[in-house]
Amino acid sequence: MSIKSIKTFFLSFFRELFVYHHRSLEFRAKLFASMIASNKVDNTCEYETLKKIAKEIYKDDEYRVDILVHTTKEYVNKIIQNDALDIDRLILDIDREIKKHKRYINKINMDHLRSFYSCNADEETILLQTRILEYYESEIRFRKDS
């Protein structure tokens, strides 16, 4: 394990203490986890896509990129292992956070979320991801109007 990966793990584990705007980062991680966890097959392509997106969001902050990827993996693993979290609960949690912090609507980038389509060939996964995206789109419309 390299020094960088140890530091990333440490910062990710204690993100509430050491990471600036950790709630915003966690919100994004939940969004990405909802898309990645909908695919029950290999997640290699999704994590490569996530890394590209994270670099686009956090251009000059390599550690924030790594923490976003690591945090997203944590949420995906919780869903896949059925460890007190499933996609439905995750989406409800995202909805609660949007209601509580209206500025999070601006954190939802539909183009970023759509980029996960390219990793799937399975119709069931694409259908589930489409439904998730439709839900986010409706939330954006509803929240921006209210």
Side-chain angles (χ1 to χ4, degrees):
M1 196 177 248
S2 71
I3 298 288
K4 180 183 173 190
S5 61
I6 291 170
K7 185 175 180 180
T8 300
F9 177 77
F10 179 80
L11 287 173
S12 181
F13 191 75
F14 293 107
R15 63 184 165 262
E16 294 170 6
L17 298 173
F18 297 114
V19 177
Y20 183 67
H21 290 297
H22 70 90
R23 288 191 180 127
S24 171
L25 185 140
E26 283 194 42
F27 178 77
R28 281 192 168 121
K30 290 174 184 179
L31 287 171
F32 296 133
S34 68
M35 294 299 288
I36 294 170
S38 63
N39 186 2
K40 301 287 189 232
V41 190
D42 181 41
N43 292 328
T44 308
C45 176
E46 281 96 341
Y47 288 124
E48 289 172 10
T49 302
L50 174 61
K51 187 99 172 176
K52 289 177 192 172
I53 293 168
K55 285 180 181 179
E56 187 179 315
I57 295 170
Y58 304 119
K59 294 172 183 69
D60 300 324
D61 195 344
E62 184 179 327
Y63 285 108
R64 202 160 177 85
V65 167
D66 292 339
I67 293 168
L68 177 62
V69 171
H70 189 268
T71 305
T72 303
K73 284 181 180 181
E74 285 179 22
Y75 282 113
V76 170
N77 288 336
K78 284 181 182 180
I79 291 169
I80 291 173
Q81 295 170 359
N82 228 353
D83 192 43
L85 186 64
D86 59 19
I87 290 179
D88 295 334
R89 282 194 201 151
L90 182 65
I91 292 173
L92 286 174
D93 190 41
I94 290 168
D95 186 52
R96 267 186 253 118
E97 290 197 34
I98 291 171
K99 287 177 186 174
K100 189 175 180 181
H101 306 282
K102 296 201 186 287
R103 69 185 180 278
Y104 284 175
I105 282 292
N106 300 325
K107 306 266 182 222
I108 302 174
N109 184 320
M110 296 307 290
D111 292 331
H112 286 164
L113 296 175
R114 280 189 198 96
S115 63
F116 291 102
Y117 277 141
S118 64
C119 296
N120 302 307
D122 178 25
E123 282 186 43
E124 185 177 327
T125 301
I126 292 171
L127 180 62
L128 181 55
Q129 287 180 340
T130 301
R131 295 244 167 93
I132 292 170
L133 288 175
E134 287 172 351
Y135 176 75
Y136 293 149
E137 287 173 337
S138 70
E139 281 298 301
I140 290 169
R141 279 193 306 272
F142 178 72
R143 300 288 170 210
K144 283 191 176 183
D145 291 342
S146 58

